Amino acid sequence: MKTTLMSSAAALALSAAVALPASLAAAQNANDTLRIGMYSKAPARGNVYASGSGVPSMYWWEGIYDGLTRVNDKGQIVPHGATSWKLVNDTTWHFTLRDDVIFSNGVQNTAQNVVKIFDYLLSEEGKTSTVARDARALASYRAVDDRTVEFVTKAPEPLWAATVQRIYFSEMQAFADLGKDGYAASPVTSGPWKVVSWSDNEALFTAHDKSWRPGKIKNIRIIELPEQVARRQALEAGQVDLVTNMNPDDIAIIESSGNVAVVSDSPNIMSLMLFSEDFTGKWKDGKTPFADKRVRQAANYAIDRQSIVDNLFGGITVPASQPANPNTFGWNPDVKPYPYDPAKARALLAEAGYTDGFDMKAEVIIGAIANDKEIYTFVAEQLSQVGIRVEVIPMQFSGWLTKLLQKKWEGEATGFSYLVDPQMDASTPFRWYSCDSTAVTICIPEHMDLLHASAKEMDRDKREKMLQELMVKAHDDALSIAILHGKDIFGMSKRLKGFTNWNRILVYENMTLGG
């Protein structure tokens, strides 16, 4: 397979045709401002309880909001808005809050304020948020005193200290006074920066001098630039200092223009999810061909993952073997990717009764991962070569999420990423998509006993062995087509120093601007 890469000259010529926002020109010489070109806006602006807490929103939020904990780039849970926590018994946690978390309106964060956050998340209005899903694990919670919050979970939750990192602090009296829409436009925050203005596709933050983790840069300006070429052009022109979601093809172009390309491990495993349930009504007994393990295995043997990595991902990553990556707790280094063996794929299909193959559709998210459209197209071509004839239906994330939650799929598979964050734990994808989830797409009951046991196991070593065994089962039962380990590619100017990325947490307070 050959892939023709765009030359630097051609890419620069294409860049010249892309119009940039006028606000970039005004920001061009801002020596006290970190200027960021973002691929997408935060859908809910500053309301951290109104939309998913992953990217792109967290790229906008991490400089202005705090949570109880963070998980660093080594997968370790570290203090953040809480100084410490302890497990009182298998279901009771005590978190000790910092005494210097001050909101931009001068109000101090307290245990009582944190309790109000969880009151909201479990209210009729709040529980529609994807963030609220994590709060449903609680049997009770209370303020022990001004600095101590007690959480009691319904069952042992060994991941609770990591889970709470994305339940950000809001000043809940201001949230009540402003209403969720008013708070979204003018949030009251406790991070190193506070909000000056927030329009539909641009935000300006300035230093919050009472923050417990002060930043080293006065201002941050974030501008939505959906076009990848436009982001690169803005970087080349010196109009922004940092751009996100670049492609492997961009690395050489960014570096040839005198800027810096940064490739980071991403907490996702690019995959094709295979549905065992029939959402279309066209298959016998309500089961798709992928209800048969032999068909799922055949689909895995049909894919030349190394060719995808080399030709469509610039050789900067590796093929995936399981729904986790090496930075994930529970990743099993002994599990290897399926080898490329189309003959074996055809034999397994014949054994399962599909000698002539079958037709199917795959609805895939486009724009979330570098070159994802080309990768899914190639996967479809390889599946078709062994008899699994695939029609690829591209869509944006918002439409995909609706289909996932409502189970209104048009086909038999979907392209997605196994996300292991925020916990960086191998159980996370199973809790999202398998038998226990309301958004289940494939259910393999044999996995559930092991998953449930690991969810209650408080001994770290025992739990790790359970998860590694679960990774073996996910591979052998061909839970999905795991394609490659994700990478996040950033471009930045040489004047930006101290760039830090912890599993998509951009640690803005570490960053400085030079000459």
Side-chain angles (χ1 to χ4, degrees):
M1 173 183 164
K2 295 182 179 179
T3 301
T4 303
L5 301 182
M6 185 183 296
S7 70
S8 298
L12 291 173
L14 179 58
S15 296
V18 179
L20 296 175
S23 55
L24 281 179
Q28 187 161 354
N29 297 314
N31 293 323
D32 61 355
T33 302
L34 172 61
R35 304 154 304 166
I36 306 172
M38 200 71 69
Y39 77 103
S40 178
K41 61 188 174 185
R45 297 192 191 179
N47 181 357
V48 291
Y49 311 131
S51 65
S53 58
V55 295
S57 294
M58 60 187 292
Y59 284 162
W60 297 69
W61 292 338
E62 281 293 333
I64 58 175
Y65 281 103
D66 298 313
L68 288 164
T69 61
R70 272 179 169 174
V71 177
N72 67 18
D73 56 344
K74 297 179 177 60
Q76 301 164 331
I77 308 169
V78 296
H80 199 51
T83 59
S84 62
W85 53 91
K86 65 179 180 180
L87 191 61
V88 178
N89 56 52
D90 281 356
T91 58
T92 303
W93 297 78
H94 280 185
F95 282 74
T96 301
L97 302 182
R98 298 184 64 96
D99 61 7
D100 54 354
V101 176
I102 308 297
F103 289 101
S104 53
N105 63 354
V107 173
Q108 184 180 40
N109 187 47
T110 64
Q112 290 81 4
N113 187 67
V114 173
V115 165
K116 289 180 181 178
I117 292 170
F118 282 85
D119 284 343
Y120 176 76
L121 291 175
L122 292 171
S123 70
E124 286 301 311
E125 179 179 275
K127 70 182 181 182
T128 59
S129 166
T130 56
V131 183
R133 176 185 53 194
D134 295 323
R136 295 172 197 153
L138 294 174
S140 65
Y141 51 93
R142 67 185 179 100
V144 177
D145 53 44
D146 286 350
R147 305 257 61 80
T148 308
V149 183
E150 178 183 271
F151 297 107
V152 180
T153 57
K154 295 174 182 176
E157 288 282 342
L159 297 177
W160 184 249
T163 299
V164 293
Q165 71 168 316
R166 290 198 193 159
I167 300 179
Y168 294 101
F169 301 154
S170 292
E171 204 279 278
M172 294 308 289
Q173 185 58 55
F175 190 92
D177 292 343
L178 294 170
K180 62 180 182 180
D181 293 336
Y183 201 92
S186 301
V188 178
T189 61
S190 62
W193 293 269
K194 57 186 178 182
V195 175
V196 175
S197 61
W198 203 321
S199 65
D200 189 47
N201 59 0
E202 182 174 345
L204 176 63
F205 308 147
T206 196
H208 171 32
D209 58 8
K210 291 184 173 60
S211 172
W212 64 273
R213 51 177 181 116
K216 303 176 181 68
I217 298 170
K218 182 177 180 181
N219 303 310
I220 296 178
R221 182 186 295 274
I222 306 179
I223 301 171
E224 181 191 26
L225 296 173
E227 295 293 334
Q228 167 220 342
V229 174
R231 295 195 297 278
R232 192 179 66 233
Q233 179 192 7
L235 181 66
E236 293 164 350
Q239 295 174 320
V240 295
D241 305 292
L242 178 65
V243 291
T244 68
N245 294 74
M246 305 310 290
N247 285 341
D249 302 354
D250 292 313
I251 295 174
I253 301 172
I254 289 170
E255 293 177 342
S256 68
S257 66
N259 294 296
V260 179
V262 180
V263 179
S264 302
D265 288 335
S266 178
N268 73 71
I269 299 85
M270 186 179 186
S271 307
L272 193 71
M273 184 191 297
L274 309 174
F275 300 162
S276 58
E277 182 178 346
D278 178 18
F279 298 101
T280 66
K282 74 177 187 181
W283 298 99
K284 184 179 179 181
D285 299 326
K287 299 293 184 182
T288 78
F290 295 120
D292 189 318
K293 180 172 73 172
R294 294 167 296 182
V295 178
R296 300 194 301 270
Q297 290 174 333
N300 272 274
Y301 281 116
I303 308 304
D304 186 350
R305 293 165 175 80
Q306 192 62 53
S307 181
I308 293 173
V309 166
D310 293 341
N311 292 285
L312 292 174
F313 222 81
I316 64 172
T317 189
V318 295
S321 63
Q322 56 196 286
N325 65 17
N327 296 332
T328 309
F329 183 77
W331 181 71
N332 192 329
D334 295 328
V335 176
K336 306 303 179 185
Y338 275 82
Y340 177 48
D341 192 339
K344 189 166 187 175
R346 295 187 190 95
L348 282 167
L349 284 173
E351 182 182 323
Y354 295 98
T355 304
D356 297 327
F358 57 89
D359 297 323
M360 61 167 287
K361 295 179 181 179
E363 299 170 276
V364 302
I365 304 171
I366 297 300
I369 298 175
N371 293 335
D372 46 15
K373 182 178 181 180
E374 292 79 6
I375 291 172
Y376 288 127
T377 299
F378 179 67
V379 167
E381 290 173 353
Q382 291 209 299
L383 289 172
S384 296
Q385 288 173 11
V386 301
I388 304 175
R389 296 172 292 276
V390 184
E391 177 187 351
V392 175
I393 304 174
M395 63 178 54
Q396 297 302 309
F397 175 76
S398 58
W400 179 89
L401 184 60
T402 298
K403 285 178 174 287
L404 177 72
L405 297 176
Q406 298 181 2
K407 298 185 180 181
K408 292 185 177 179
W409 300 104
E410 296 178 30
E412 292 75 26
T414 183
F416 79 118
S417 291
Y418 277 125
L419 292 172
V420 293
D421 64 328
Q423 297 95 344
M424 296 304 295
D425 191 270
S427 68
T428 302
F430 290 84
R431 290 184 289 107
W432 267 86
Y433 301 115
S434 62
C435 304
D436 291 348
S437 171
T438 56
V440 60
T441 56
I442 183 166
C443 177
I444 302 177
E446 292 79 8
H447 295 177
M448 291 298 102
D449 288 345
L450 190 56
L451 179 68
H452 295 158
S454 71
K456 298 176 182 178
E457 180 55 65
M458 305 304 287
D459 183 287
R460 182 177 175 86
D461 292 339
K462 291 180 180 178
R463 187 168 182 276
E464 183 175 32
K465 290 180 180 179
M466 289 179 176
L467 292 178
Q468 289 178 336
E469 183 181 347
L470 188 60
M471 294 300 98
V472 172
K473 290 182 177 295
H475 173 275
D476 294 351
D477 289 333
L479 182 67
S480 67
I481 301 176
I483 301 171
L484 55 80
H485 293 173
K487 295 286 183 178
D488 291 324
I489 304 171
F490 301 85
M492 66 181 194
S493 66
K494 287 187 175 179
R495 78 171 192 148
L496 177 59
K497 311 295 183 183
F499 175 82
T500 306
N501 176 19
W502 289 354
N503 306 311
R504 294 182 168 176
I505 293 173
L506 299 185
V507 188
Y508 292 112
E509 62 267 30
N510 285 358
M511 302 182 198
T512 61
L513 292 174

